[in-house]
Amino acid sequence: MKYLRKLLRWSEKMIDALADKLGLWSPICMGFAGIAVCLGYWGFVSGDNSMTVNGVLSTLVGLICSVAVCLLGFIVLSAVLLMAAYLLSRDSVCTWVHLRLNKLSERIQSRNIACIYPLLQEFLFEVLSLHEDTLHLPLGQDASCLVPRGTATAFRKNCLFFRFELILPEAPAMDTETLRSILQQYIWAELGAHGITGLSASFDSVPTVYVDRMRYCEKSHILQFAVLYISTQNMKNYAVRAEQNRKSKVTPEREVYDNEV
């Protein structure tokens, strides 16, 4: 047992020394060595006489050549694409790629809309109903009053926002930013106390429902607000930054001159 431990320690030292000498090539060499061992073991188990040392070496050489050809083809293709991007206009190509990736992200995110939208709608209606006397926002008989023009979403900053609306006969008694802040406090309290049906109440210790924007349109008499349901790290970061920016905004005091006193 003692000799076995010494042998293991000696083997570890030899492997570490070899890895230090090879540097960045050590993972590649170890990978090819592992492939060679697997090929030899497979030949031994299957009884394939061709899988001798020469057979393994020839197979390994063929594998190395295949990888080299693939890497060379990738390098050539990358060079051609970069040259084409440079000739066509780098900014235009980057914009095109960004738009396509953004569209793909939006399509993937939109698959969750059918599940999240009705649950979030019912939750908001419940919160607004519990605090109707404080917020002074007229509600309908059910949650459908929050989508008078149908459901709609917006995808920005890699986040999916859900649009909700309320038809008001006149502008709210308080400004929209104050109204948004009060509604957000009620939402956080409800999430902390009772959660939200069918959805998670928190994501990485952050409440999942965040009211991002709120505005009132005088022409259509509609109070519109965008709501973010936090389900990814990127959404969490967006909500945290948005709330920090709101808290950091301090209204400067107006200077009073002597002739105004």
Side-chain angles (χ1 to χ4, degrees):
M1 200 66 182
K2 184 188 298 183
Y3 294 106
L4 181 60
R5 290 177 180 174
K6 289 183 178 180
L7 181 61
L8 289 174
R9 284 197 293 268
W10 179 81
S11 300
E12 290 178 358
K13 290 181 180 179
M14 289 294 295
I15 293 173
D16 292 339
L18 183 62
D20 291 337
K21 290 182 179 179
L22 292 175
L24 295 175
W25 288 98
S26 57
I28 300 175
C29 295
M30 292 177 65
F32 283 122
I35 294 173
V37 171
C38 292
L39 289 174
Y41 178 75
W42 174 71
F44 174 77
V45 172
S46 62
D48 189 357
N49 295 327
S50 65
M51 299 304 292
T52 59
V53 174
N54 293 331
V56 171
L57 289 177
S58 62
T59 305
L60 189 59
V61 170
L63 181 62
I64 294 174
C65 292
S66 300
V67 173
V69 170
C70 291
L71 289 175
L72 181 61
F74 176 77
I75 293 172
V76 172
L77 180 61
S78 300
V80 171
L81 291 177
L82 289 174
M83 183 62 68
Y86 177 78
L87 295 175
L88 291 174
S89 173
R90 180 181 175 183
D91 294 337
S92 300
V93 173
C94 290
T95 301
W96 182 84
V97 173
H98 176 74
L99 290 174
R100 293 300 178 272
L101 292 176
N102 195 55
K103 196 70 176 178
L104 179 61
S105 300
E106 182 179 1
R107 188 178 303 171
I108 295 173
Q109 282 280 10
S110 298
R111 294 180 180 179
N112 300 322
I113 293 176
C115 177
I116 298 176
Y117 215 125
L119 298 174
L120 192 59
Q121 182 178 337
E122 289 290 341
F123 172 77
L124 288 174
F125 180 76
E126 183 178 0
V127 173
L128 291 170
S129 299
L130 289 173
H131 304 281
E132 188 173 3
D133 295 337
T134 306
L135 297 173
H136 304 292
L137 296 176
L139 298 174
Q141 296 181 352
D142 53 39
S144 62
C145 66
L146 294 176
V147 286
R149 297 187 296 179
T151 59
T153 58
F155 188 78
R156 48 187 170 84
K157 292 283 188 179
N158 290 325
C159 299
L160 184 64
F161 296 88
F162 300 86
R163 187 191 71 184
F164 295 97
E165 298 175 327
L166 270 176
I167 298 178
L168 305 180
E170 55 185 13
M174 61 188 82
D175 63 277
T176 54
E177 183 57 33
T178 303
L179 182 60
R180 190 213 67 85
S181 179
I182 295 175
L183 176 58
Q184 185 65 75
Q185 295 298 326
Y186 288 148
I187 288 174
W188 284 340
E190 186 68 19
L191 288 173
H194 306 288
I196 175 172
T197 304
L199 298 173
S200 299
S202 64
F203 178 86
D204 196 12
S205 72
V206 173
T208 52
V209 181
Y210 183 73
V211 182
D212 182 50
R213 289 178 174 179
M214 180 177 288
R215 69 184 188 91
Y216 177 74
C217 181
E218 294 282 353
K219 294 182 179 180
S220 58
H221 297 282
I222 289 180
L223 178 67
Q224 186 179 103
F225 49 100
V227 178
L228 175 66
Y229 175 72
I230 301 172
S231 57
T232 65
Q233 187 66 34
N234 189 69
M235 293 180 181
K236 172 200 167 184
N237 294 338
Y238 177 90
V240 171
R241 285 196 301 267
E243 194 62 23
Q244 289 176 349
N245 291 337
R246 283 190 167 96
K247 291 180 180 179
S248 64
K249 287 181 180 179
V250 179
T251 304
E253 295 183 359
R254 192 176 71 88
E255 295 183 0
V256 180
Y257 298 94
D258 293 338
N259 58 357
E260 296 179 342
V261 176

